[in-house]
Amino acid sequence: MKNKILFSFIVLAGMAISSAMAQVLPSKQETLKTLTLVNGYFMKKYADYTLPSKTDRVRPSNIWTRGVYYEGLMELYKIFPKEEYYQYAYGWSDFHKWGMRNGTTTRNADDQCCGQTYIDLYNICPTSPAMLKDIKACMDMLVNTPQVDDWTWIDAIQMGMPVLAKLGKLTGNTAYFDKMWDMYAYSRNTHGGGLFNLKDGLWWRDADFVAPYKEPNGEDCYWSRGNGWVYAALVRVVNEIPKNEKHRADYIKDFITMSKALKACQRSDGFWNVSLHDPSNFGGKETSGTALFVYGMAWGINNGILNKAEYLPIALKAWDAMVKEAVHENGFLGYVQGTGKEPKDGQPVTYTNIPDFEDYGIGCFLLAGTEIYKLK
C-alpha cells in the first residue's frame, strides 16, 4: 500500500512539474513579436547596409559585428521567412561581392564571420558559385596550411569555427571538420597553457588573462561575452556536423561543462554580469553575454542535451529579464556592453547607453529568441 501511495505521489508530482513548465513557456506569438520589434529597430536604423561602420574609425559593414547580426537574422528567417529579411541579407552579401575584409588570404576569424551568412544564403537558394567562391578559398587555405594557432582569442572560435562546420556539411569534405578540431584544440589546450579552465568550466578570453591574472576580488577573470562566443560556437558547430563526427562528443562534453558553470553564476535577476566570477568588477546587467547563454541553454534543451527540468527555469528567467528590462518600446536593446575584451571595456553598460556597435548585440538576442521560440 505504501509503495502504491508513493508511486502515485511521484506520478502526480511529475505531472504537476510538467504542467508548470508548460505554463511558464512564453507564447510563440509574443516571442516572435519581440524578435521582430528588435530586428525592425535595427533594419530601420541601418536600412542602408552598404554604409561602413563608423566609430573610432571607418570599417566595412562585413566585419564581425555585422556578421553576428546576420547570424541572428538568418535564424529568425528560418522561423519567420519574411522576404524582407532574405533580401536584407542577400543584398548585404552581394554588395560585398560575397567577400571578406582583407581578402581570401586572411587568417583573421573576425574577417571570416560573414561567411556563415553567405553559406546560409547559398543553402537557401544556390544561384551562383560566386556566393561561396571567396569563403571557400579562404577556408581551403586554412585546411591546406599547417598553422593551427589562429584563434588566440576565444571570440574567434565563434567567428570562424562554424564556417568550417558549414562547409564540411555542404561539401561532405571531412577535412574541414578535422581542421576546425585542430584549431579549437589548440586554443583549448595549448595557447597560453590552454584557455579552457576545466576546473571552473569557463574560458579565459586570451593568454593575457590566464592565471596568475586576477580580478579585484581575487578570482580568475572570465568575461561573459567571451564565454558566450564559445558557447554559441559549440551550438553552431554541433548543429552542422554529422552524428558520427569523431569529435562531436568532445564538443558536447565541453558544452555541458560550460552549462553547469554558467548555471552557477547567473544573477538573481536573470542576467549575467560582465565578469562571471567577480560581480563587483563593473557589475550589473549585461545583455549580449546573457543572450548567448540563453541561446545555448535553450538549444541544449531543444536538442535533448541539457536536462529540461534543470535548465529551463534558468533560460526562461534570463529571457524574461531581457524582454522586460532590456528591450525598449521602439526595439532598442539596452544593457549591451560595447566592444572590447574584458569587463572594463565598452562601458558604461546601461539601459539607455548605445554601444559603439549595435549589430552584434541584436544578433545575439535574435539567436536566443529563436531557440526560445522552438521550446515545447
Side-chain angles (χ1 to χ4, degrees):
M1 185 66 178
K2 283 184 177 179
N3 288 340
K4 287 184 178 179
I5 293 173
L6 179 61
F7 177 77
S8 298
F9 175 78
I10 292 171
V11 170
L12 289 171
M15 291 172 63
I17 291 171
S18 297
S19 176
M21 287 170 59
Q23 290 174 2
V24 298
L25 287 179
S27 75
K28 292 185 184 299
Q29 182 179 359
E30 284 302 311
T31 299
L32 188 59
K33 181 180 178 181
T34 301
L35 291 172
T36 55
L37 173 69
V38 172
N39 184 64
Y41 162 83
F42 184 84
M43 286 183 61
K44 181 179 179 180
K45 184 172 180 178
Y46 299 93
D48 188 351
Y49 46 69
T50 69
L51 293 177
S53 297
K54 297 180 181 179
T55 55
D56 57 322
R57 57 192 174 94
V58 176
R59 301 172 178 86
S61 70
N62 61 344
I63 59 171
W64 71 269
T65 64
R66 195 62 56 90
V68 171
Y69 163 73
Y70 279 106
E71 289 177 46
L73 181 63
M74 296 310 296
E75 293 305 310
L76 176 58
Y77 179 78
K78 289 176 185 176
I79 64 169
F80 189 54
K82 192 175 181 181
E83 181 65 17
E84 182 185 9
Y85 297 166
Y86 176 83
Q87 293 299 335
Y88 192 64
Y90 188 94
W92 169 78
S93 305
D94 196 53
F95 170 76
H96 290 290
K97 297 182 170 52
W98 308 89
M100 294 150 287
R101 181 181 68 159
N102 299 315
T104 57
T105 59
T106 182
R107 301 190 72 95
N108 188 327
D110 286 349
D111 295 338
Q112 299 159 358
C113 182
C114 56
Q116 297 188 47
T117 297
Y118 299 165
I119 297 167
D120 284 351
L121 289 167
Y122 182 86
N123 285 331
I124 292 170
C125 187
T127 56
S128 169
M131 299 166 73
L132 295 181
K133 180 173 127 347
D134 281 6
I135 191 61
K136 186 175 183 299
C138 185
M139 295 299 106
D140 287 347
M141 178 267 295
L142 295 185
V143 168
N144 293 311
T145 51
Q147 298 97 312
V148 294
D149 59 352
D150 296 307
W151 300 337
T152 57
W153 73 110
I154 59 175
D155 315 33
I157 295 173
Q158 196 285 142
M159 306 306 159
M161 192 171 172
V163 179
L164 288 161
K166 286 174 181 289
L167 276 179
K169 180 180 181 179
L170 177 64
T171 65
N173 184 352
T174 59
Y176 295 111
F177 299 151
D178 294 340
K179 188 67 178 188
M180 74 179 183
W181 169 258
D182 290 342
M183 295 174 73
Y184 174 78
Y186 180 86
S187 301
R188 181 188 190 277
N189 305 325
T190 305
H191 182 70
L195 296 180
F196 189 34
N197 185 356
L198 280 167
K199 179 176 72 72
D200 287 340
L202 296 169
W203 294 68
W204 291 295
R205 196 269 182 180
D206 57 52
D208 290 343
F209 298 96
V210 176
Y213 184 96
K214 296 293 181 185
E215 288 281 70
N217 70 348
E219 291 281 342
D220 286 353
C221 181
Y222 299 119
W223 181 43
S224 178
R225 189 166 65 236
N227 276 271
W229 291 136
V230 180
Y231 202 51
L234 292 170
V235 168
R236 297 177 69 74
V237 165
V238 174
N239 263 341
E240 302 293 337
I241 58 180
K243 300 290 186 184
N244 63 350
E245 202 281 327
K246 57 190 173 184
H247 292 292
R248 182 184 179 90
D250 297 310
Y251 297 131
I252 292 175
K253 183 178 180 181
D254 284 355
F255 174 80
I256 292 172
T257 298
M258 289 190 71
S259 298
K260 292 176 181 177
L262 293 168
K263 175 189 172 185
C265 55
Q266 186 181 30
R267 288 164 52 97
S268 61
D269 61 9
F271 284 86
W272 276 265
N273 290 296
V274 292
S275 180
L276 295 176
H277 277 196
D278 189 352
S280 67
N281 190 25
F282 294 93
K285 305 166 186 175
E286 201 286 307
T287 300
S288 62
T290 298
L292 291 168
F293 301 148
V294 171
Y295 172 52
M297 288 183 185
W299 173 86
I301 294 165
N302 287 329
N303 288 274
I305 293 171
L306 296 180
N307 180 276
K308 187 175 184 179
E310 182 179 357
Y311 284 94
L312 183 63
I314 298 168
L316 290 184
K317 185 176 184 179
W319 175 252
D320 187 60
M322 289 192 294
V323 170
K324 291 180 177 177
E325 300 178 40
V327 178
H328 290 231
E329 287 186 5
N330 68 347
F332 171 72
L333 201 58
Y335 297 111
V336 174
Q337 184 184 14
T339 54
K341 67 175 192 173
E342 60 179 307
K344 72 177 179 61
D345 295 335
Q347 296 290 337
V349 178
T350 69
Y351 178 66
T352 57
N353 188 67
I354 300 175
D356 52 356
F357 293 88
E358 292 190 80
D359 38 18
Y360 62 82
I362 291 174
C364 295
F365 187 82
L366 296 179
L367 290 174
T370 53
E371 286 298 325
I372 289 291
Y373 181 89
K374 296 173 190 175
L375 288 168
K376 297 177 181 178

